[in-house]
Amino acid sequence: MDYIPLEKEERTFVFVLFSIHNVMKTEKLLKSQKITFDTIPVPKEISSDCGMAILVASSEKNRVRKVLGESGIDIKGIYLRTCGRYEKKNDK
Amino acid sequence: MTSLPSDSRIIYLDHAATSFPKPEGVKQAVLEYLERYAANPGRSGHSLSLEASRVLFAARETIATFFHVDDSRKVIFTCNVTEALNLAIYGITRQGDRVVTTSMEHNAVMRPLRNLEAKGIIQLTVVPSSPEGFADIPGIAQAMRSGKPRLLVVNHASNVTGTLLDLKRISEIKGSAYLLVDAAQSAGCVPIELDSLDVDLFAFTGHKALQGPQGTGGLIFKTGSEPVFPLIRGGTGSHSEFEQQPDFFPDKYESGTPNGCGVAGLAAGVRAVMERGVRAIRDHEKRMTEGLLKRLNGLERVRVFGPMDPEKQTAVVSIQVDGMSPSDVGLRLDRDFGICVRTGLHCAPAAHRTLRSFPQGTVRISMGIANTMDDVERIVEALQWIISR
Protein backbone atom coordinates (compact mmCIF):
# COMPACT_ATOMS: atom_id res chain seq x y z
CA MET A 1 0.00 0.00 0.00
CA ASP A 2 1.21 3.47 -0.79
CA TYR A 3 1.24 5.87 2.09
CA ILE A 4 0.86 9.61 1.89
CA PRO A 5 4.34 10.93 2.75
CA LEU A 6 4.72 12.49 6.18
CA GLU A 7 8.08 14.13 5.46
CA LYS A 8 8.51 17.58 6.91
CA GLU A 9 8.40 19.52 3.69
CA GLU A 10 5.32 17.80 2.23
CA ARG A 11 2.09 19.77 2.10
CA THR A 12 -0.78 17.49 2.99
CA PHE A 13 -4.29 18.00 4.27
CA VAL A 14 -5.99 16.38 7.26
CA PHE A 15 -9.77 16.03 7.23
CA VAL A 16 -11.24 15.71 10.72
CA LEU A 17 -14.76 14.29 10.85
CA PHE A 18 -17.33 13.87 13.59
CA SER A 19 -17.30 10.09 14.14
CA ILE A 20 -15.42 6.92 13.29
CA HIS A 21 -18.50 5.87 11.33
CA ASN A 22 -18.05 8.87 9.03
CA VAL A 23 -14.34 8.13 8.70
CA MET A 24 -15.21 4.60 7.59
CA LYS A 25 -17.81 5.93 5.17
CA THR A 26 -15.26 8.38 3.79
CA GLU A 27 -12.77 5.52 3.26
CA LYS A 28 -15.41 3.70 1.22
CA LEU A 29 -16.21 6.77 -0.86
CA LEU A 30 -12.60 7.73 -1.55
CA LYS A 31 -11.76 4.14 -2.53
CA SER A 32 -14.64 4.13 -5.00
CA GLN A 33 -13.38 7.44 -6.42
CA LYS A 34 -9.81 6.07 -6.58
CA ILE A 35 -8.49 8.89 -4.41
CA THR A 36 -5.33 7.96 -2.49
CA PHE A 37 -5.58 8.60 1.24
CA ASP A 38 -4.41 7.40 4.63
CA THR A 39 -6.50 6.96 7.75
CA ILE A 40 -4.52 8.31 10.68
CA PRO A 41 -5.17 9.05 14.36
CA VAL A 42 -6.36 12.62 14.82
CA PRO A 43 -3.10 14.53 15.41
CA LYS A 44 -2.92 15.64 19.04
CA GLU A 45 -1.91 19.11 17.85
CA ILE A 46 -5.41 19.40 16.39
CA SER A 47 -7.50 17.71 19.03
CA SER A 48 -7.20 15.45 22.07
CA ASP A 49 -9.93 13.30 20.51
CA CYS A 50 -9.09 9.59 20.25
CA GLY A 51 -10.68 9.37 16.81
CA MET A 52 -9.30 8.96 13.31
CA ALA A 53 -8.81 11.41 10.45
CA ILE A 54 -8.24 11.26 6.70
CA LEU A 55 -4.91 12.40 5.27
CA VAL A 56 -4.64 13.32 1.57
CA ALA A 57 -2.12 14.93 -0.73
CA SER A 58 -2.69 18.66 -1.18
CA SER A 59 -3.61 18.10 -4.81
CA GLU A 60 -6.65 16.02 -3.71
CA LYS A 61 -8.06 18.44 -1.13
CA ASN A 62 -10.78 19.92 -3.31
CA ARG A 63 -11.87 16.58 -4.72
CA VAL A 64 -12.22 15.15 -1.20
CA ARG A 65 -14.23 18.18 -0.08
CA LYS A 66 -16.53 17.71 -3.04
CA VAL A 67 -17.04 13.98 -2.40
CA LEU A 68 -17.81 14.59 1.27
CA GLY A 69 -20.14 17.45 0.46
CA GLU A 70 -22.08 15.40 -2.06
CA SER A 71 -22.45 12.57 0.43
CA GLY A 72 -23.65 14.78 3.26
CA ILE A 73 -20.70 14.00 5.53
CA ASP A 74 -20.06 16.97 7.82
CA ILE A 75 -16.45 18.07 8.15
CA LYS A 76 -15.25 19.12 11.60
CA GLY A 77 -12.15 20.76 10.21
CA ILE A 78 -9.59 20.75 7.41
CA TYR A 79 -5.94 21.29 8.41
CA LEU A 80 -2.86 21.95 6.30
CA ARG A 81 0.14 19.98 7.49
CA THR A 82 3.59 21.39 6.69
CA CYS A 83 6.81 20.87 8.58
CA GLY A 84 4.92 18.86 11.20
CA ARG A 85 2.64 21.81 12.01
CA TYR A 86 -1.10 22.06 11.47
CA GLU A 87 -2.99 25.09 10.33
CA LYS A 88 -6.79 25.18 10.19
CA LYS A 89 -7.94 26.05 6.70
CA ASN A 90 -11.71 25.57 6.46
CA ASP A 91 -14.50 24.70 8.79
CA LYS A 92 -16.75 23.29 6.16
CA MET B 1 -25.70 -36.85 34.10
CA THR B 2 -27.76 -36.57 30.95
CA SER B 3 -25.96 -37.69 27.83
CA LEU B 4 -26.84 -37.17 24.20
CA PRO B 5 -28.42 -40.14 22.40
CA SER B 6 -25.55 -41.93 20.71
CA ASP B 7 -27.42 -43.74 17.97
CA SER B 8 -29.16 -40.80 16.39
CA ARG B 9 -28.39 -37.24 15.45
CA ILE B 10 -29.77 -34.32 17.41
CA ILE B 11 -32.84 -32.70 15.91
CA TYR B 12 -32.82 -29.06 16.84
CA LEU B 13 -36.28 -27.48 16.91
CA ASP B 14 -35.66 -24.51 19.17
CA HIS B 15 -34.80 -21.82 16.63
CA ALA B 16 -37.20 -19.34 18.23
CA ALA B 17 -34.85 -19.32 21.22
CA THR B 18 -31.54 -19.40 19.31
CA SER B 19 -30.81 -20.67 15.82
CA PHE B 20 -28.44 -23.64 15.62
CA PRO B 21 -26.23 -24.72 13.96
CA LYS B 22 -24.90 -21.47 12.54
CA PRO B 23 -23.86 -21.12 8.89
CA GLU B 24 -20.19 -21.98 8.34
CA GLY B 25 -19.39 -18.37 7.40
CA VAL B 26 -20.47 -17.16 10.86
CA LYS B 27 -17.93 -19.35 12.63
CA GLN B 28 -15.25 -18.30 10.15
CA ALA B 29 -16.00 -14.60 10.58
CA VAL B 30 -15.82 -14.80 14.39
CA LEU B 31 -12.60 -16.81 14.23
CA GLU B 32 -11.03 -14.49 11.68
CA TYR B 33 -11.85 -11.46 13.81
CA LEU B 34 -10.39 -13.06 16.92
CA GLU B 35 -7.30 -14.32 15.14
CA ARG B 36 -6.51 -11.33 12.97
CA TYR B 37 -7.80 -8.02 14.27
CA ALA B 38 -9.54 -8.24 17.61
CA ALA B 39 -8.23 -4.83 18.64
CA ASN B 40 -10.46 -2.06 20.02
CA PRO B 41 -12.61 -0.61 17.21
CA GLY B 42 -12.86 3.16 16.98
CA ARG B 43 -10.44 3.76 19.82
CA SER B 44 -6.74 3.25 19.51
CA GLY B 45 -5.88 4.56 16.08
CA HIS B 46 -3.43 1.87 14.98
CA SER B 47 -3.87 -0.41 12.01
CA LEU B 48 -5.51 -3.28 13.91
CA SER B 49 -7.96 -0.97 15.65
CA LEU B 50 -8.75 0.51 12.26
CA GLU B 51 -9.36 -2.93 10.77
CA ALA B 52 -11.76 -3.74 13.64
CA SER B 53 -13.57 -0.43 12.97
CA ARG B 54 -13.94 -1.41 9.32
CA VAL B 55 -15.54 -4.72 10.31
CA LEU B 56 -18.10 -2.88 12.45
CA PHE B 57 -18.80 -0.36 9.70
CA ALA B 58 -19.24 -3.08 7.07
CA ALA B 59 -21.59 -4.97 9.40
CA ARG B 60 -23.70 -1.83 9.91
CA GLU B 61 -23.89 -1.35 6.15
CA THR B 62 -24.88 -4.98 5.59
CA ILE B 63 -27.69 -4.76 8.13
CA ALA B 64 -28.88 -1.43 6.70
CA THR B 65 -29.00 -2.98 3.22
CA PHE B 66 -30.81 -6.05 4.49
CA PHE B 67 -33.60 -4.07 6.19
CA HIS B 68 -33.72 -1.34 3.49
CA VAL B 69 -32.36 1.48 5.68
CA ASP B 70 -30.87 4.44 3.77
CA ASP B 71 -28.29 5.53 6.34
CA SER B 72 -26.43 2.84 8.31
CA ARG B 73 -25.69 5.26 11.15
CA LYS B 74 -29.27 4.69 12.27
CA VAL B 75 -28.47 1.03 13.01
CA ILE B 76 -27.43 0.85 16.67
CA PHE B 77 -25.78 -2.31 17.93
CA THR B 78 -26.91 -3.75 21.25
CA CYS B 79 -26.13 -7.07 22.91
CA ASN B 80 -29.61 -8.49 22.19
CA VAL B 81 -33.18 -7.46 21.38
CA THR B 82 -33.99 -7.08 25.10
CA GLU B 83 -31.39 -4.32 25.39
CA ALA B 84 -32.70 -2.70 22.19
CA LEU B 85 -36.27 -2.75 23.54
CA ASN B 86 -35.15 -1.37 26.92
CA LEU B 87 -33.22 1.40 25.17
CA ALA B 88 -36.30 2.34 23.15
CA ILE B 89 -38.84 2.05 25.98
CA TYR B 90 -36.85 3.76 28.74
CA GLY B 91 -35.38 6.24 26.28
CA ILE B 92 -38.57 7.59 24.75
CA THR B 93 -41.08 7.59 27.60
CA ARG B 94 -41.52 10.64 29.82
CA GLN B 95 -43.41 11.31 33.04
CA GLY B 96 -47.16 11.09 32.48
CA ASP B 97 -47.00 9.38 29.08
CA ARG B 98 -49.59 6.87 27.91
CA VAL B 99 -48.26 3.69 26.32
CA VAL B 100 -50.26 1.05 24.42
CA THR B 101 -49.23 -2.55 23.85
CA THR B 102 -50.81 -5.98 23.30
CA SER B 103 -51.31 -9.00 25.52
CA MET B 104 -49.03 -11.12 23.31
CA GLU B 105 -45.80 -9.38 24.28
CA HIS B 106 -42.66 -11.03 25.59
CA ASN B 107 -41.33 -10.02 29.01
CA ALA B 108 -38.60 -8.07 27.20
CA VAL B 109 -41.41 -5.58 26.51
CA MET B 110 -43.76 -6.28 29.42
CA ARG B 111 -41.24 -5.99 32.24
CA PRO B 112 -39.84 -2.56 31.27
CA LEU B 113 -43.41 -1.30 30.71
CA ARG B 114 -44.73 -2.74 33.99
CA ASN B 115 -41.72 -1.27 35.77
CA LEU B 116 -42.42 2.21 34.37
CA GLU B 117 -46.09 1.78 35.28
CA ALA B 118 -45.26 0.71 38.85
CA LYS B 119 -43.03 3.77 39.27
CA GLY B 120 -45.94 5.99 38.23
CA ILE B 121 -44.12 7.22 35.14
CA ILE B 122 -46.45 5.83 32.46
CA GLN B 123 -50.06 4.80 32.14
CA LEU B 124 -50.16 1.44 30.37
CA THR B 125 -52.99 0.06 28.22
CA VAL B 126 -52.66 -3.62 27.28
CA VAL B 127 -55.06 -4.43 24.44
CA PRO B 128 -56.08 -8.12 24.63
CA SER B 129 -55.24 -10.19 21.56
CA SER B 130 -57.39 -13.08 20.30
CA PRO B 131 -56.90 -16.65 21.65
CA GLU B 132 -54.96 -17.36 18.43
CA GLY B 133 -52.60 -14.50 19.24
CA PHE B 134 -53.94 -12.04 16.66
CA ALA B 135 -53.70 -8.38 17.61
CA ASP B 136 -57.05 -6.63 17.99
CA ILE B 137 -56.52 -3.93 15.37
CA PRO B 138 -59.80 -2.04 16.04
CA GLY B 139 -59.09 -2.28 19.78
CA ILE B 140 -55.60 -0.84 19.33
CA ALA B 141 -56.96 1.87 17.02
CA GLN B 142 -59.44 2.86 19.71
CA ALA B 143 -56.71 2.93 22.39
CA MET B 144 -54.59 5.14 20.11
CA ARG B 145 -57.42 7.65 19.78
CA SER B 146 -57.84 8.31 23.49
CA GLY B 147 -55.45 10.32 25.62
CA LYS B 148 -52.76 10.83 22.96
CA PRO B 149 -50.45 7.88 23.68
CA ARG B 150 -46.75 8.56 23.14
CA LEU B 151 -45.73 5.00 22.31
CA LEU B 152 -47.19 1.85 20.76
CA VAL B 153 -45.20 -1.36 21.28
CA VAL B 154 -46.01 -4.51 19.31
CA ASN B 155 -44.25 -7.69 18.28
CA HIS B 156 -44.06 -8.57 14.60
CA ALA B 157 -44.36 -12.28 15.37
CA SER B 158 -45.24 -14.00 18.63
CA ASN B 159 -42.51 -16.08 20.24
CA VAL B 160 -45.15 -18.54 21.49
CA THR B 161 -47.37 -19.13 18.45
CA GLY B 162 -45.54 -17.33 15.62
CA THR B 163 -48.69 -15.25 15.01
CA LEU B 164 -47.77 -12.48 12.56
CA LEU B 165 -48.85 -8.87 12.71
CA ASP B 166 -49.43 -6.74 9.62
CA LEU B 167 -46.94 -3.92 10.19
CA LYS B 168 -48.52 -1.79 7.45
CA ARG B 169 -51.90 -1.87 9.15
CA ILE B 170 -50.48 -1.18 12.58
CA SER B 171 -48.50 1.82 11.32
CA GLU B 172 -51.70 3.21 9.77
CA ILE B 173 -53.42 3.31 13.15
CA LYS B 174 -50.55 4.50 15.35
CA GLY B 175 -51.66 8.14 15.06
CA SER B 176 -49.11 10.58 16.44
CA ALA B 177 -47.49 7.96 18.69
CA TYR B 178 -44.06 6.46 18.11
CA LEU B 179 -44.24 2.84 16.94
CA LEU B 180 -41.74 0.39 18.43
CA VAL B 181 -41.64 -3.05 16.79
CA ASP B 182 -40.14 -6.10 18.47
CA ALA B 183 -38.88 -8.14 15.51
CA ALA B 184 -37.06 -10.78 17.56
CA GLN B 185 -39.00 -13.60 15.90
CA SER B 186 -39.31 -12.25 12.37
CA ALA B 187 -36.01 -10.58 11.42
CA GLY B 188 -34.27 -13.00 9.07
CA CYS B 189 -37.22 -15.28 8.31
CA VAL B 190 -39.95 -12.84 7.21
CA PRO B 191 -39.25 -10.18 4.55
CA ILE B 192 -39.03 -6.72 6.16
CA GLU B 193 -38.38 -3.57 4.16
CA LEU B 194 -38.26 -0.64 6.53
CA ASP B 195 -38.32 1.98 3.76
CA SER B 196 -41.89 1.00 2.95
CA LEU B 197 -43.07 0.95 6.58
CA ASP B 198 -43.75 3.68 9.12
CA VAL B 199 -41.88 2.05 12.01
CA ASP B 200 -40.13 4.59 14.22
CA LEU B 201 -38.05 2.15 16.25
CA PHE B 202 -37.26 -1.38 15.13
CA ALA B 203 -35.64 -3.83 17.55
CA PHE B 204 -33.98 -7.03 16.33
CA THR B 205 -31.81 -9.79 17.71
CA GLY B 206 -28.84 -11.34 15.97
CA HIS B 207 -28.83 -14.89 17.29
CA LYS B 208 -32.16 -16.14 15.97
CA ALA B 209 -33.13 -16.10 12.28
CA LEU B 210 -30.35 -13.65 11.37
CA GLN B 211 -28.01 -16.58 12.17
CA GLY B 212 -25.54 -14.52 14.21
CA PRO B 213 -23.86 -15.35 17.50
CA GLN B 214 -25.46 -14.64 20.87
CA GLY B 215 -24.68 -11.22 22.28
CA THR B 216 -25.74 -9.36 19.12
CA GLY B 217 -28.79 -7.33 18.18
CA GLY B 218 -29.79 -3.78 17.55
CA LEU B 219 -32.23 -0.91 17.33
CA ILE B 220 -32.95 0.86 14.04
CA PHE B 221 -34.23 4.44 14.11
CA LYS B 222 -36.50 5.65 11.31
CA THR B 223 -35.30 9.25 11.11
CA GLY B 224 -32.73 9.62 13.85
CA SER B 225 -34.65 12.51 15.37
CA GLU B 226 -36.77 10.32 17.66
CA PRO B 227 -36.28 11.71 21.19
CA VAL B 228 -34.61 8.65 22.75
CA PHE B 229 -32.26 9.08 25.71
CA PRO B 230 -29.30 6.67 25.75
CA LEU B 231 -29.60 3.76 28.17
CA ILE B 232 -25.91 3.91 29.07
CA ARG B 233 -23.26 6.57 28.64
CA GLY B 234 -19.50 6.29 28.50
CA GLY B 235 -16.48 6.11 26.26
CA THR B 236 -17.18 6.17 22.54
CA GLY B 237 -13.73 6.94 21.13
CA SER B 238 -15.15 10.24 19.87
CA HIS B 239 -15.33 13.71 21.43
CA SER B 240 -12.98 12.44 24.11
CA GLU B 241 -12.18 15.94 25.28
CA PHE B 242 -15.77 16.35 26.53
CA GLU B 243 -17.34 14.80 29.59
CA GLN B 244 -20.77 14.84 27.94
CA GLN B 245 -22.13 12.06 25.74
CA PRO B 246 -21.83 12.85 22.01
CA ASP B 247 -25.13 13.68 20.34
CA PHE B 248 -24.53 11.97 16.98
CA PHE B 249 -25.30 8.51 15.64
CA PRO B 250 -24.26 5.80 16.29
CA ASP B 251 -21.91 6.96 19.10
CA LYS B 252 -24.74 8.49 21.15
CA TYR B 253 -26.13 5.01 21.87
CA GLU B 254 -22.99 2.84 21.76
CA SER B 255 -20.77 3.34 24.78
CA GLY B 256 -18.02 0.99 25.82
CA THR B 257 -16.12 -1.53 23.74
CA PRO B 258 -18.57 -3.27 21.39
CA ASN B 259 -18.95 -6.99 20.78
CA GLY B 260 -16.66 -6.85 17.76
CA CYS B 261 -16.31 -10.58 17.15
CA GLY B 262 -20.06 -11.04 17.64
CA VAL B 263 -20.90 -8.29 15.17
CA ALA B 264 -18.46 -9.81 12.65
CA GLY B 265 -20.37 -13.08 13.02
CA LEU B 266 -23.74 -11.33 12.78
CA ALA B 267 -22.78 -9.71 9.47
CA ALA B 268 -21.77 -13.13 8.15
CA GLY B 269 -25.12 -14.51 9.34
CA VAL B 270 -27.03 -11.76 7.54
CA ARG B 271 -24.98 -12.38 4.40
CA ALA B 272 -25.89 -16.08 4.58
CA VAL B 273 -29.58 -15.14 4.86
CA MET B 274 -29.24 -12.74 1.90
CA GLU B 275 -27.52 -15.41 -0.19
CA ARG B 276 -30.30 -17.88 0.40
CA GLY B 277 -32.91 -15.14 0.16
CA VAL B 278 -35.34 -14.26 2.92
CA ARG B 279 -38.32 -15.06 0.68
CA ALA B 280 -36.91 -18.51 -0.06
CA ILE B 281 -36.36 -19.03 3.68
CA ARG B 282 -39.92 -17.95 4.41
CA ASP B 283 -41.27 -20.37 1.76
CA HIS B 284 -39.18 -23.23 3.15
CA GLU B 285 -40.41 -22.55 6.67
CA LYS B 286 -44.02 -22.22 5.51
CA ARG B 287 -43.84 -25.66 3.89
CA MET B 288 -42.45 -27.20 7.08
CA THR B 289 -45.06 -25.43 9.21
CA GLU B 290 -47.84 -26.67 6.94
CA GLY B 291 -46.50 -30.23 7.10
CA LEU B 292 -46.17 -30.12 10.87
CA LEU B 293 -49.64 -28.64 11.43
CA LYS B 294 -51.21 -31.24 9.15
CA ARG B 295 -49.54 -34.13 10.96
CA LEU B 296 -50.26 -32.74 14.43
CA ASN B 297 -53.91 -32.41 13.45
CA GLY B 298 -54.03 -36.19 13.05
CA LEU B 299 -52.66 -36.88 16.54
CA GLU B 300 -55.04 -37.64 19.34
CA ARG B 301 -54.63 -35.76 22.63
CA VAL B 302 -52.60 -33.01 20.95
CA ARG B 303 -53.89 -29.47 21.09
CA VAL B 304 -52.30 -26.88 18.82
CA PHE B 305 -52.27 -23.18 19.76
CA GLY B 306 -52.07 -20.21 17.43
CA PRO B 307 -53.34 -19.43 13.93
CA MET B 308 -52.78 -22.98 12.55
CA ASP B 309 -52.15 -21.34 9.19
CA PRO B 310 -48.61 -21.10 7.74
CA GLU B 311 -49.54 -17.86 5.96
CA LYS B 312 -50.36 -16.20 9.25
CA GLN B 313 -47.48 -17.40 11.40
CA THR B 314 -43.76 -18.05 11.47
CA ALA B 315 -42.36 -21.59 11.81
CA VAL B 316 -43.30 -21.65 15.50
CA VAL B 317 -45.94 -24.13 16.70
CA SER B 318 -47.04 -24.45 20.32
CA ILE B 319 -48.81 -27.61 21.55
CA GLN B 320 -50.10 -29.30 24.66
CA VAL B 321 -50.56 -33.04 25.09
CA ASP B 322 -53.68 -33.89 27.07
CA GLY B 323 -52.78 -35.52 30.38
CA MET B 324 -49.08 -34.72 30.23
CA SER B 325 -47.20 -31.67 31.44
CA PRO B 326 -45.30 -29.79 28.72
CA SER B 327 -42.06 -30.23 30.64
CA ASP B 328 -42.52 -34.05 30.67
CA VAL B 329 -43.13 -34.08 26.93
CA GLY B 330 -40.05 -31.92 26.36
CA LEU B 331 -37.89 -34.09 28.60
CA ARG B 332 -38.92 -37.27 26.81
CA LEU B 333 -38.41 -35.75 23.38
CA ASP B 334 -34.92 -34.73 24.44
CA ARG B 335 -33.87 -37.83 26.41
CA ASP B 336 -35.43 -40.56 24.29
CA PHE B 337 -35.34 -39.00 20.83
CA GLY B 338 -32.63 -36.34 20.84
CA ILE B 339 -35.16 -33.68 19.86
CA CYS B 340 -34.61 -30.21 21.33
CA VAL B 341 -37.72 -28.10 21.91
CA ARG B 342 -38.61 -25.50 24.52
CA THR B 343 -41.35 -25.97 27.09
CA GLY B 344 -43.10 -23.74 29.61
CA LEU B 345 -44.03 -20.09 29.39
CA HIS B 346 -41.30 -18.87 27.02
CA CYS B 347 -40.84 -15.65 29.05
CA ALA B 348 -44.29 -14.55 27.88
CA PRO B 349 -46.83 -15.08 30.68
CA ALA B 350 -49.27 -12.54 29.21
CA ALA B 351 -49.22 -14.38 25.87
CA HIS B 352 -49.98 -17.69 27.56
CA ARG B 353 -52.86 -16.09 29.48
CA THR B 354 -54.18 -14.84 26.13
CA LEU B 355 -53.86 -18.30 24.58
CA ARG B 356 -55.41 -19.91 27.72
CA SER B 357 -52.27 -22.01 28.21
CA PHE B 358 -51.24 -20.39 31.49
CA PRO B 359 -49.70 -21.49 33.88
CA GLN B 360 -48.40 -24.80 32.55
CA GLY B 361 -47.43 -23.33 29.19
CA THR B 362 -46.81 -25.31 26.03
CA VAL B 363 -44.30 -27.41 24.14
CA ARG B 364 -42.91 -25.06 21.50
CA ILE B 365 -41.61 -26.53 18.27
CA SER B 366 -39.71 -23.92 16.26
CA MET B 367 -38.04 -24.60 12.93
CA GLY B 368 -35.21 -22.87 11.12
CA ILE B 369 -33.31 -22.86 7.85
CA ALA B 370 -31.31 -25.96 8.73
CA ASN B 371 -34.43 -28.10 9.32
CA THR B 372 -36.08 -30.35 6.73
CA MET B 373 -39.37 -32.21 6.39
CA ASP B 374 -37.51 -35.23 7.74
CA ASP B 375 -37.16 -33.43 11.09
CA VAL B 376 -40.90 -32.74 11.02
CA GLU B 377 -41.60 -36.46 10.45
CA ARG B 378 -39.25 -37.39 13.28
CA ILE B 379 -40.88 -35.18 15.92
CA VAL B 380 -44.36 -36.31 14.92
CA GLU B 381 -43.29 -39.98 15.20
CA ALA B 382 -41.71 -39.25 18.58
CA LEU B 383 -44.87 -37.54 19.81
CA GLN B 384 -46.96 -40.49 18.60
CA TRP B 385 -44.73 -42.85 20.57
CA ILE B 386 -44.85 -40.70 23.71
CA ILE B 387 -48.64 -40.35 23.54
CA SER B 388 -49.22 -44.07 22.98
CA ARG B 389 -47.42 -45.04 26.20
Side-chain angles (χ1 to χ4, degrees), chain B residues 299-342:
Chain B
L299 291 187
E300 274 180 50
R301 292 171 55 197
V302 170
R303 183 177 166 205
V304 182
F305 294 83
M308 289 189 261
D309 179 350
E311 294 296 331
K312 294 176 180 163
Q313 66 186 93
T314 57
V316 174
V317 177
S318 255
I319 63 166
Q320 279 179 353
V321 177
D322 186 33
M324 286 184 79
S325 79
S327 52
D328 265 10
V329 176
L331 180 62
R332 292 176 75 174
L333 283 170
D334 186 24
R335 207 177 51 186
D336 302 339
F337 297 92
I339 298 174
C340 304
V341 295
R342 180 163 168 189

Side-chain angles (χ1 to χ4, degrees), chain B residues 18-54:
Chain B
T18 284
S19 61
F20 180 85
K22 302 298 181 190
E24 191 57 34
V26 174
K27 279 182 275 178
Q28 281 168 6
V30 174
L31 196 63
E32 186 180 301
Y33 186 92
L34 290 174
E35 281 183 349
R36 293 183 49 198
Y37 33 72
N40 203 318
R43 305 292 197 277
S44 303
H46 49 71
S47 54
L48 285 185
S49 161
L50 199 49
E51 209 45 55
S53 303
R54 290 182 184 126

Side-chain angles (χ1 to χ4, degrees), chain B residues 77-88 108 219 231-232 253:
Chain B
F77 288 125
T78 61
C79 68
N80 47 44
V81 73
T82 301
E83 188 191 328
L85 290 163
N86 271 262
L87 164 59
L219 183 68
L231 199 59
I232 57 164
Y253 299 106

Side-chain angles (χ1 to χ4, degrees), chain B residues 12-242:
Chain B
Y12 188 82
L13 294 170
D14 195 18
H15 293 271
T18 284
S19 61
F20 180 85
K22 302 298 181 190
E24 191 57 34
V26 174
K27 279 182 275 178
Q28 281 168 6
V30 174
L31 196 63
E32 186 180 301
Y33 186 92
L34 290 174
E35 281 183 349
R36 293 183 49 198
Y37 33 72
N40 203 318
R43 305 292 197 277
S44 303
H46 49 71
S47 54
L48 285 185
S49 161
L50 199 49
E51 209 45 55
S53 303
R54 290 182 184 126
V55 172
L56 245 73
F57 174 76
R60 226 184 280 282
E61 296 260 291
T62 301
I63 289 163
T65 304
F66 180 71
F67 288 118
H68 292 229
V69 176
D70 60 343
D71 183 349
S72 68
R73 276 180 300 182
K74 293 185 291 193
V75 177
I76 300 300
F77 288 125
T78 61
C79 68
N80 47 44
V81 73
T82 301
E83 188 191 328
L85 290 163
N86 271 262
L87 164 59
I89 291 170
Y90 283 100
I92 207 160
T93 48
R94 307 285 186 267
Q95 182 68 46
D97 279 347
R98 279 199 62 228
V99 177
V100 176
T101 192
T102 82
S103 70
M104 283 300 284
E105 302 310 314
H106 188 279
N107 269 348
V109 165
M110 280 302 185
R111 285 182 173 172
L113 291 178
R114 291 297 187 196
N115 174 252
L116 286 167
E117 183 189 39
K119 285 186 189 162
I121 295 171
I122 64 162
Q123 244 189 306
L124 181 64
T125 304
V126 181
V127 179
S129 297
S130 78
E132 295 80 31
F134 289 115
D136 173 8
I137 301 285
I140 295 171
Q142 195 183 2
M144 299 317 290
R145 282 193 297 267
S146 59
K148 274 201 139 219
R150 179 172 178 87
L151 179 66
L152 169 61
V153 194
V154 292
N155 67 74
H156 187 200
S158 158
N159 71 310
V160 182
T161 54
T163 311
L164 281 161
L165 179 72
D166 183 346
L167 292 182
K168 268 216 155 69
R169 279 195 74 194
I170 208 83
S171 53
E172 282 162 14
I173 59 165
K174 72 176 182 130
S176 60
Y178 293 103
L179 173 60
L180 166 61
V181 171
D182 169 8
Q185 294 295 330
S186 59
C189 61
V190 178
I192 299 167
E193 295 175 359
L194 289 176
D195 57 354
S196 63
L197 294 168
D198 194 10
V199 175
D200 301 286
L201 298 159
F202 178 85
F204 66 93
T205 195
H207 69 104
K208 300 186 199 278
L210 290 176
Q211 309 300 325
Q214 294 171 348
T216 59
L219 183 68
I220 300 177
F221 289 68
K222 186 174 175 66
T223 66
S225 60
E226 296 80 7
V228 176
F229 292 131
L231 199 59
I232 57 164
R233 294 168 179 83
T236 56
S238 53
H239 279 211
S240 302
E241 62 269 48
F242 300 105

